[in-house]
Amino acid sequence: MAARSIEPQFTDVQLDRIIEMAWEDRTPFDAIYAQFGLTEDRVKELMKREMKFSSYRLWRDRVTSCKTKHAKRRNPEISRFKCTRQRAITNNKISKR
């Protein structure tokens, strides 16, 4: 068996935020890496482990077709991690208007 590096233990709040960021179209994997130290492959592993398989497949299909999730495929004019139209996030819950 190949030795696997030890993944940091995340709190439930951190896991929720990582999953939320992974679902957001405009949040690149680089932003998840910058905040939580998880590479794209580790995010994929985490999503597969934390979600139902059918939800994971939907997410993978969405990520594969989304150009904004990969910094190298993004429009060079986009230099921010957060969409300007994204609502404020408080304690991992989207605030109501």
Side-chain angles (χ1 to χ4, degrees):
M1 281 186 141
R4 296 184 72 184
S5 61
I6 298 173
E7 186 174 301
Q9 295 297 315
F10 295 108
T11 65
D12 289 341
V13 172
Q14 290 171 322
L15 280 174
D16 286 347
R17 183 62 184 136
I18 293 167
I19 292 169
E20 182 180 19
M21 290 173 78
W23 271 104
E24 292 170 347
D25 290 340
R26 291 189 171 264
T27 304
F29 287 110
D30 293 343
I32 298 171
Y33 181 77
Q35 190 168 351
F36 296 101
L38 292 176
T39 62
E40 180 178 345
D41 290 338
R42 292 288 188 199
V43 172
K44 289 175 186 175
E45 289 174 14
L46 183 140
M47 296 293 278
K48 191 171 190 176
R49 185 180 66 234
E50 296 294 324
M51 296 175 17
K52 294 187 301 183
F53 185 73
S54 59
S55 297
Y56 172 74
R57 286 303 317 154
L58 287 172
W59 174 75
R60 286 291 293 133
D61 291 343
R62 182 177 177 140
V63 167
T64 302
S65 65
C66 185
K67 293 180 181 179
T68 56
K69 287 302 279 186
H70 301 87
K72 291 179 182 176
R73 293 172 54 189
R74 281 176 86 123
N75 182 335
E77 295 176 7
I78 300 173
S79 61
R80 64 193 180 281
F81 289 150
K82 183 177 175 183
C83 175
T84 57
R85 293 180 306 275
Q86 182 178 351
R87 289 187 260 170
I89 298 173
T90 309
N91 294 329
N92 280 352
K93 294 182 181 174
I94 297 176
S95 301
K96 297 189 181 201
R97 291 181 185 201

